[in-house]
Amino acid sequence: GQNIDQPTEMTATEGAIVQINCTYQTSGFNGLFWYQQHAGEAPTFLSYNVLDGLEEKGRFSSFLSRSKGYSYLLLKELQMKDSASYLCAVRSGNTGKLIFGQGTTLQVKP
Amino acid sequence: GAVVSQHPSWVICKSGTSVKIECRSLDFQATTMFWYRQFPKQSLMLMATSNEGSKATYEQGVEKDKFLINHASLTLSTLTVTSAHPEDSSFYICSASGPGSYNSPLHFGNGTRLTVT
């Protein structure tokens, strides 16, 4: 089966940097995705890793280590609007479906 | 970019009635659509995968006779919650992918908030 773990809640200060970790166990790994979800809204795509290493997109970066089954999402220069849930999702095989972790609720404080 | 439209955004229905939710891909052919359910303060749980022109594949624990999925065209999939009960109240979200895009990120509809009274 598949297992995806991420912290339930995190708190950080506006302007700071925060790292949200995700560990996973799956067969036929075919990519790891990070999504942001504000309360009552659908998830929006942030980043995607299929090979080891760091992917940078503006204030957001995501890292993947396939051998360790580990990823993290790094958010820089935190803004109040970054308060949201961050979902780690793993794709296995080539069906395209994503299995989501339980999500990390990030609260950004002034 | 890929746009997925979901309708309705919210619906309130009485216990025992059926509700249909539509998911449309607006600018691409969605060969595969996925239906998720999300309860408050929980993550997205995959309910089923539907491929155009074939029967949906349901995840373990999801009743296929209760959650009817139809994917009759490359741009439309529907989820019908039959004989809805209060415990079916949830946020239902669809997503879609096109041919050869299984390595691309999924794009989601805006979701449907279902409340069963």
Side-chain angles (χ1 to χ4, degrees), chain A residues 50-92:
Chain A
V50 67
L51 299 176
D52 291 350
L54 188 68
E55 293 284 339
E56 297 187 79
K57 293 179 66 175
R59 294 192 298 117
F60 297 88
S61 302
S62 58
F63 171 83
L64 175 68
S65 169
R66 289 172 296 171
S67 62
K68 296 182 179 179
Y70 167 70
S71 173
Y72 67 71
L73 178 70
L74 194 70
L75 292 78
K76 304 176 184 177
E77 302 171 13
L78 281 173
Q79 302 175 9
M80 298 299 292
K81 67 178 182 179
D82 296 329
S83 294
S85 287
Y86 292 85
L87 308 175
C88 171
V90 173
R91 170 177 285 163
S92 61

Side-chain angles (χ1 to χ4, degrees), chain A residues 4-6 22 86-90 99-103, chain B residues 42-44:
Chain A
I4 304 170
D5 286 318
Q6 48 181 133
C22 173
Y86 292 85
L87 308 175
C88 171
V90 173
I99 302 300
F100 285 82
Q102 72 269 30
Chain B
Q42 296 187 23
S43 191
L44 280 73

Side-chain angles (χ1 to χ4, degrees), chain B residues 20-23 33 35 68-71 76-80:
Chain B
K20 179 182 285 187
I21 301 170
E22 294 186 348
C23 181
M33 287 189 173
W35 288 94
L68 302 179
I69 292 173
N70 183 284
H71 192 167
L76 174 65
S77 176
T78 61
L79 167 67
T80 301

